[in-house]
Amino acid sequence: MGPTRKRDLTAATVVAAVAAYLLVLTLYRFFPPITLLSGVSLLVVAMAEAGWAVYVRGKINDGRIGDGPGWLHPLAVARSVSIAKASAWVGAVVLGWWVGVLAYLLPRRATLRVAGEDTAGALLAAACALALVAAALWLQHCCKSPQEPPDNPDGATE
């Protein structure tokens, strides 16, 4: 399993944004109000992943991967990478959704009262989705194993 490529996430965001815009263009009148709490759950997940990333990074840098008390099991690191990859993809698609919604709302704020009311919630939700993508990529980065030390750190020959 390789690292998540940012260009793939960007492509997913763009595709989701176009699809969201077309959907909102035809169905906006049926949408419920977008509140400030619409995307906050993503921020909670992003904060949890960022905290876990700091913890994992500390354990890896201390060389405390393996079995034993106070050590981080290698399968926990592998599962963390899986969660990070999934979160990055979910965050990218949800970010695309909110960008598509914003593309519809922003030009209509002055003429459509409901669009003006929904804009703040959509902006906050997009920011929370972006935070989830960033936290997921950070967690994925923190799960990398450190570079192997050289066999002869002093440079002396044997």
Side-chain angles (χ1 to χ4, degrees), residues 19 29-30 36 39 50-51 57-58 71 92-93 102 104-105 107 116 123 133 135 137 150 154 158:
R29 65 180 169 267
F30 300 114
L36 288 175
R57 184 179 179 108
W71 291 67
V93 170
L102 284 168
Y104 177 83
L105 294 177
L123 277 171
V133 172
L137 290 175
D154 297 332
E158 295 179 18

Side-chain angles (χ1 to χ4, degrees), residues 1 27 30 34-35 37 41 48 52 65 71 76 79 94 125-126 140 145 151:
M1 177 171 25
L27 299 174
F30 300 114
I34 301 171
T35 66
L37 296 177
S41 61
W52 181 249
I65 301 293
W71 291 67
R79 288 179 183 137
V94 173
Q140 195 173 13
S145 58
D151 291 333

Side-chain angles (χ1 to χ4, degrees), residues 6-7 24 26 34 44 48 54 79 89-90 103 109 115 119 127 137 140 144 149 154:
K6 291 169 190 67
R7 71 172 181 241
V24 172
T26 58
I34 301 171
V44 173
V54 170
R79 288 179 183 137
W89 281 101
V90 167
R109 287 184 314 164
T119 301
L137 290 175
Q140 195 173 13
K144 290 181 182 176
D154 297 332

Side-chain angles (χ1 to χ4, degrees), residues 2-15 84-85 87-93 95-96 130 132-142 144:
T4 306
R5 294 185 303 214
K6 291 169 190 67
R7 71 172 181 241
D8 294 343
L9 294 177
T10 303
T13 301
V14 169
V15 168
K85 287 182 77 67
S87 295
W89 281 101
V90 167
V93 170
L95 176 61
L130 183 60
L132 178 60
V133 172
L137 290 175
W138 174 248
L139 175 57
Q140 195 173 13
H141 172 75
C142 289
K144 290 181 182 176

Side-chain angles (χ1 to χ4, degrees), residues 16-26 96-97 100-101 103-104 108:
V18 170
Y21 179 78
L22 294 174
L23 188 66
V24 172
L25 189 63
T26 58
W97 166 261
V101 170
Y104 177 83
R108 292 168 177 80

Side-chain angles (χ1 to χ4, degrees), residues 48-65 71-81 138-146:
E49 283 193 18
W52 181 249
V54 170
Y55 177 78
V56 168
R57 184 179 179 108
K59 291 290 186 177
I60 289 175
N61 287 342
D62 291 344
R64 299 187 56 88
I65 301 293
W71 291 67
L72 189 60
H73 197 278
L75 282 178
V77 177
R79 288 179 183 137
S80 298
V81 171
W138 174 248
L139 175 57
Q140 195 173 13
H141 172 75
C142 289
C143 289
K144 290 181 182 176
S145 58

